[in-house]
């Protein structure tokens, strides 16, 4: 008899959320109120905005005589292909859109439209080892330009708008959608802000939420609490140099400004953690001493023992935005950010290239007490759900102006939902009325005296793991070891060094298997560390030295931090207490699973038992399978079948697994 247990289906459909929110436009770095504030202040020669404007209009990208340098069909970074050409045009498109909004002179709008249309119709590919940075920096300015032009009656045709939406979704978004957990955090941050901008411009809530989710709960260095690594405000790149440190936190601040315009207080997330990062960085770059904690980053590649002196004191034009939000909007203290802003006021261009918008004195100066708290039109966002057999815990990004929240739960994606809690004051809730193994779907609303918001973007989470599945560390348990199941796939955080000679250290999710059978899974892009090891296992017990047959995907060159390559191997330990042997030579993975040595694409694994023969297979698409090898060994009739994951470094790793199926013959 053939019995199959399928945990997952391919993730093809997004949940349908009833009365989903609409986006506010313009709603990226500049809102309608911002544009009016700048226009009024410039006309009145109000300082310091007018001084900022004088710096702004002197830049070549703001000149009415600017000549477009592109477009090109392909741009790239490392190797460089048209990077300067694109970035210059992106700067010009954004700055001309701002000039149009400030002056009302139609020629500026026409130039911006010309640039946006030309690149949208022509650019097809973003390439290179540093493609994420290429797609995450310059294009952010292009999206901002498009947002301003689209919503200020500039005469941009609907046909061209639709072409531009298509371009952002098909040429830029695919490069960024999985972010860059293999790199320093500024890479992630560049991707997050441009994904968020594309989501807003294209009115695509799923894309917008993808960026929010990564900002608050991503696997890589660019997640807020991974980048600002502690409450003191130390940055993941503080020990690298001060240029990249300022770049990274400024990129994250752009996310916060966009979210603010959409009604979310991302600035305040994690107890104003971003402000703490700016205060620490400003203080150090004002030549004052700061505490420093030894730090190994999430990739396991970058380790720092002291703050770097490189570029110390070279303040980038990123402080006005933060000063004006936390101090003038929110009334908080930010003494070092204030000093840094004052030292370089009025801020100039965001050099080099398209790293920053710059010109913060013009763009962000506002009087004290100027926070505009809207009706809670925005649903809460960035819901993080974690589950155990006893409870499910939710946290989220709060809505500006919200007084309370309601939590709603369903047992099917898309509802119907039942309100399970009202009048929640905090941005967290623990649901203890759950059944082990059941997947629940949650949404939220925010409420104040003026009404209730639309529903938040739905998240699914199981109370523990699906029925019959369990989780456990093998060899060396760590507090970070944990697995969640969201109805589509597993998110596994694991420590350990992997399958050793005589002793294994890893984290495994598993279930029993009687006799012959097959386990299949798909590894999603991208693990948080290129030192990660993951695979499939059939094992007699959960002791560190038990007999097993395993098909493992591992980094083949761990001494190469940028290009480890990835390989498949079949491993086995013939008896408990014996030595693990390598049964097949490593088989390297290629594109589309691996690019520039990084595991950036999907890859499928399958481990099959027939009597005493264990065979491994790999696939790029889940359809065409290539044998990896086989081994004969005598294991008990009942084994534990599962998915082992290890970090291969002192920190934990995070991997995503889906399309898991177990077939029992």
């Amino acid at each position: 008899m053939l019995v199959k247990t399928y945990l997952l289906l391919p993730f093809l459909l997004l949940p349908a959320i009833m009365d989903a929110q609409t986006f506010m436009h313009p709603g990226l770095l500049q809102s309608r109120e911002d544009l009016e504030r700048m226009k009024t202040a410039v006309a009145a020669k109000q300082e310091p905005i007018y001084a900022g404007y004088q710096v702004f209009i002197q830049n070549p990208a703001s000149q009415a005589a600017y000549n477009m340098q592109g477009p090109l069909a392909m741009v790239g970074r490392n190797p460089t292909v048209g990077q300067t050409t694109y970035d210059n045009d992106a700067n010009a498109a954004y700055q001309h859109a701002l000039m149009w909004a400030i002056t009302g002179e139609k020629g500026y709008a026409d130039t911006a439209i010309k640039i946006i249309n030309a690149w949208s119709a022509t650019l097809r590919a973003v390439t290179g080892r540093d493609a994420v940075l290429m797609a995450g920096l310059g294009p952010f300015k292009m999206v901002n330009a498009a947002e301003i032009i689209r919503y200020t009656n500039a005469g941009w045709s609907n046909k061209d708008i639709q072409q531009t939406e298509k371009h952002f979704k098909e040429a830029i978004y695919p490069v960024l959608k999985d972010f860059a957990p293999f790199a320093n955090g500024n890479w992630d941050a560049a991707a997050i802000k441009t994904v968020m901008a594309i989501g807003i411009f294209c009115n695509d809530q799923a894309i917008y939420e993808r960026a929010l989710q990564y900002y608050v709960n991503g696997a890589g260095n660019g997640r807020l609490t991974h980048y600002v690594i502690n409450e003191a405000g130390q940055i993941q790149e503080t020990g690298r140099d001060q240029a990249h440190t300022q770049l990274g936190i400024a990129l994250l601040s752009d996310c916060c400004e966009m979210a603010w315009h959409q009604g979310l207080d991302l600035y305040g997330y994690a107890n104003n953690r971003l402000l703490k990062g700016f205060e620490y960085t400003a203080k150090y770059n004002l030549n004052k001493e700061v505490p420093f904690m030894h730090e190994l980053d999430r990739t396991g590649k970058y380790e720092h023992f002291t703050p770097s002196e490189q570029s110390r004191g070279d303040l980038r034009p990123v402080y006005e935005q933060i000063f004006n939000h936390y101090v003038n909007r929110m009334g908080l203290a930010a003494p070092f950010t204030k000093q840094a802003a004052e030292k370089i006021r009025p801020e100039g261009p965001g050099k080099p290239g398209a790293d920053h918008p710059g010109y913060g004195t013009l763009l962000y100066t506002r009087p004290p007490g100027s926070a505009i708290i809207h009706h809670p039109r925005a649903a809460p966002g960035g819901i993080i759900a974690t589950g155990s057999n006893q409870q499910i815990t939710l946290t989220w990004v709060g809505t500006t102006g919200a007084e309370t929240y309601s939590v709603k739960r369903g047992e099917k994606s898309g509802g119907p939902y039942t309100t399970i809690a009202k009048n929640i004051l905090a941005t967290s809730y623990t649901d203890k009325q759950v059944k082990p193994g059941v997947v629940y779907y949650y949404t939220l609303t925010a409420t104040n005296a003026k009404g209730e918001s639309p529903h938040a973007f739905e998240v699914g989470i199981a109370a523990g793991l699906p029925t019959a599945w369990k989780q456990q560390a093998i060899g060396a348990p760590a507090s970070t070891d944990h697995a969640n199941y969201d109805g589509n796939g597993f998110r596994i955080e694991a420590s350990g060094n992997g399958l050793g000679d005589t002793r294994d250290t890893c984290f495994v999710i598993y279930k029993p298997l009687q006799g012959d059978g097959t386990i299949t899974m798909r590894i999603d892009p991208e693990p948080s560390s290129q030192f990660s090891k993951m695979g499939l296992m059939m094992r007699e017990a959960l002791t560190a030295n038990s007999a097993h047959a395993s098909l493992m995907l591992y980094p083949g060159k761990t001494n190469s931090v940028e290009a480890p390559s990835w390989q498949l191997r079949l491993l086995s330990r013939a008896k408990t207490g014996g030595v693990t042997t390598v049964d097949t030579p490593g088989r390297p993975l290629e594109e589309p699973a691996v690019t520039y040595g990084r595991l950036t694409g999907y890859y499928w694994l399958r481990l099959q038992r027939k009597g005493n023969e264990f065979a491994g297979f790999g696939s790029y698409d889940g359809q065409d399978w290539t044998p990896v090898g086989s081994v004969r060994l005598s294991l008990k009739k009942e084994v534990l079948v599962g998915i082992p994951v290890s970090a291969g470094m002192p920190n934990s790793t995070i991997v995503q697994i889906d399309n898991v199926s177990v077939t029992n013959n």
Side-chain angles (χ1 to χ4, degrees):
M1 178 180 181
L2 180 66
V3 179
K4 287 190 177 182
T5 303
Y6 284 101
L7 288 181
L8 316 162
L9 295 173
F11 185 51
L12 300 176
L13 299 176
L14 293 170
I17 302 301
M18 52 186 176
D19 66 330
Q21 73 178 77
T22 56
F23 290 98
M24 295 297 293
H25 298 291
L28 299 187
L29 289 183
Q30 280 76 46
S31 67
R32 193 170 303 280
E33 292 92 341
D34 292 330
L35 298 175
E36 288 297 325
R37 173 178 47 79
M38 284 188 284
K39 181 176 183 179
T40 300
V42 168
K45 297 186 178 180
Q46 176 185 323
E47 297 295 357
I49 294 177
Y50 190 69
Y53 177 67
Q54 292 302 307
V55 175
F56 181 72
I57 61 176
Q58 293 171 20
N59 187 267
S62 302
Q63 302 297 315
Y66 179 85
N67 290 317
M68 181 169 57
Q69 299 179 21
L72 301 171
M74 180 179 74
V75 296
R77 179 164 170 160
N78 190 16
T80 298
V81 180
Q83 179 183 344
T84 300
T85 299
Y86 184 94
D87 286 352
N88 286 345
D89 279 354
N91 288 340
Y94 178 48
Q95 291 175 217
H96 275 66
L98 288 169
M99 286 295 292
W100 148 248
I102 293 169
T103 69
E105 295 181 19
K106 186 65 162 54
Y108 290 111
D110 291 342
T111 298
I113 291 170
K114 179 181 177 181
I115 295 171
I116 297 166
N117 285 349
W119 281 98
S120 295
T122 307
L123 181 61
R124 294 290 180 267
V126 181
T127 63
R129 182 181 295 274
D130 298 355
V132 172
L133 288 178
M134 181 72 233
L137 295 174
F140 178 69
K141 292 191 173 182
M142 200 74 82
V143 183
N144 272 270
E147 177 80 359
I148 293 171
I149 292 296
R150 184 176 186 176
Y151 295 103
T152 53
N153 298 315
W156 194 19
S157 75
N158 187 62
K159 177 182 178 182
D160 289 336
I161 291 170
Q162 298 307 311
Q163 169 60 44
T164 301
E165 284 195 3
K166 183 173 184 288
H167 162 72
F168 289 146
K169 281 190 171 185
E170 295 183 3
I172 306 300
Y173 176 67
V175 182
L176 303 172
K177 67 180 179 64
D178 296 313
F179 309 97
F182 51 80
N184 281 295
N186 74 83
W187 288 54
D188 264 345
I192 296 168
K193 76 170 189 175
T194 303
V195 169
M196 184 179 289
I198 290 170
I200 295 169
F201 177 76
C202 296
N203 293 293
D204 191 315
Q205 194 180 7
I207 291 178
Y208 174 69
E209 271 289 330
R210 190 177 183 92
L212 272 179
Q213 283 282 338
Y214 200 91
Y215 185 100
V216 300
N217 197 38
N221 283 320
R223 165 175 152 183
L224 175 65
T225 51
H226 288 170
Y227 200 62
V228 186
I229 66 172
N230 56 31
E231 288 292 320
Q234 182 180 326
I235 306 299
Q236 180 259 314
E237 296 188 81
T238 296
R240 180 188 183 191
D241 62 62
Q242 299 312 304
H244 285 98
T245 297
Q246 293 175 88
L247 170 64
I249 54 173
L251 298 173
L252 291 178
S253 73
D254 289 340
C255 299
C256 296
E257 187 69 8
M258 291 186 289
W260 181 267
H261 291 145
Q262 300 307 320
L264 293 181
D265 187 14
L266 199 59
Y267 277 114
Y269 191 77
N271 194 24
N272 294 311
R273 180 72 76 91
L274 183 72
L275 174 60
K276 294 170 184 175
F278 266 94
E279 281 290 280
Y280 180 100
T281 301
K283 183 177 181 179
Y284 185 67
N285 282 280
L286 290 166
N287 294 313
K288 302 179 187 300
E289 295 307 308
V290 293
F292 190 88
M293 179 182 74
H294 162 245
E295 182 245 349
L296 176 68
D297 81 315
R298 296 298 304 176
T299 72
K301 298 185 297 186
Y302 308 117
E303 188 171 16
H304 303 299
F305 298 90
T306 59
S308 173
E309 292 279 346
Q310 186 174 340
S311 300
R312 187 179 185 183
D314 185 8
L315 296 172
R316 288 194 168 202
V318 299
Y319 293 96
E320 291 277 33
Q321 177 185 345
I322 297 305
F323 166 71
N324 277 281
H325 174 78
Y326 287 106
V327 178
N328 288 344
R329 267 185 184 150
M330 306 307 295
L332 301 176
F336 298 109
T337 301
K338 181 176 184 288
Q339 291 177 47
E342 291 172 344
K343 189 172 183 178
I344 60 173
R345 185 176 293 154
E347 284 185 355
K351 294 180 180 178
D355 275 6
H356 309 288
Y359 305 110
T361 308
L362 168 66
L363 300 181
Y364 299 111
T365 299
R366 63 187 70 251
S370 60
I372 300 173
I373 302 298
H374 298 277
H375 173 278
R377 65 183 182 278
I383 303 172
I384 302 173
T386 56
S388 70
N389 287 342
Q390 293 78 38
Q391 62 187 39
I392 290 172
T393 300
L394 308 174
T395 63
W396 58 87
V397 180
T399 299
T400 57
E403 296 174 357
T404 63
Y405 299 94
S406 296
V407 179
K408 305 181 182 186
R409 188 182 78 183
E411 295 192 11
K412 293 192 301 182
S413 179
Y417 303 108
T418 299
T419 300
I420 61 171
K422 291 183 177 181
N423 301 317
I424 305 299
L425 300 178
T427 53
S428 63
Y429 177 76
T430 299
D431 181 7
K432 297 184 178 181
Q433 303 302 312
V434 296
K435 297 177 181 179
V438 174
V439 178
Y440 297 96
Y441 297 88
Y442 292 90
T443 184
L444 306 165
T445 57
T447 305
N448 68 11
K450 296 182 179 179
E452 186 176 19
S453 77
H455 285 77
F457 195 78
E458 177 191 272
V459 297
I461 187 70
L465 299 187
T467 303
W469 285 80
K470 297 180 180 180
Q471 54 183 299
Q472 184 174 316
I474 295 176
S479 61
T480 53
D481 291 345
H482 186 71
N484 278 317
Y485 177 65
D486 66 3
N488 288 302
F490 293 99
R491 177 186 169 106
I492 303 171
E493 184 164 3
S495 55
N497 289 317
L499 306 187
D501 185 21
T502 58
R503 177 180 171 82
D504 305 328
T505 57
C506 62
F507 185 71
V508 60
I509 60 172
Y510 65 96
K511 65 181 296 185
L513 174 70
Q514 284 281 349
D516 294 349
T518 301
I519 180 171
T520 301
M521 73 170 182
R522 183 177 72 168
I523 301 168
D524 296 355
E526 303 170 22
S528 65
S529 171
Q530 298 288 306
F531 292 101
S532 306
K533 303 169 187 176
M534 64 216 82
L536 300 173
M537 176 182 290
M538 294 185 182
R539 190 179 187 96
E540 285 192 341
L542 296 176
T543 55
N545 62 351
S546 70
H548 71 89
S550 302
L551 176 65
M552 298 300 296
L553 180 62
Y554 73 102
K557 301 176 185 175
T558 53
N559 63 328
S560 173
V561 297
E562 290 299 334
S565 84
W566 286 84
Q567 299 183 20
L568 278 176
R569 273 186 182 170
L570 193 63
L571 310 174
S572 68
R573 182 183 290 125
K575 63 179 181 178
T576 296
V579 176
T580 290
T581 60
V582 178
D583 298 297
T584 60
R587 187 170 69 82
L589 270 60
E590 301 173 345
E591 292 187 350
V594 172
T595 55
Y596 295 102
R598 305 164 182 150
L599 186 61
T600 54
Y602 292 101
Y603 195 72
W604 297 70
L605 301 181
R606 176 170 288 169
L607 181 63
Q608 184 179 79
R609 178 184 189 176
K610 291 183 178 179
N612 290 336
E613 184 173 354
F614 296 81
F617 305 85
S619 174
Y620 292 96
D621 59 7
Q623 301 295 322
D624 297 322
W625 293 88
T626 300
V628 176
S630 62
V631 60
R632 291 188 63 83
L633 73 158
S634 177
L635 295 186
K636 297 176 181 178
K637 183 176 181 180
E638 179 176 301
V639 294
L640 301 175
V641 60
I643 301 168
V645 178
S646 60
M649 59 159 183
N651 283 341
S652 62
T653 190
I654 298 174
V655 302
Q656 300 271 0
I657 306 291
D658 66 12
N659 285 273
V660 176
S661 66
V662 176
T663 299
N664 181 231
N665 293 336

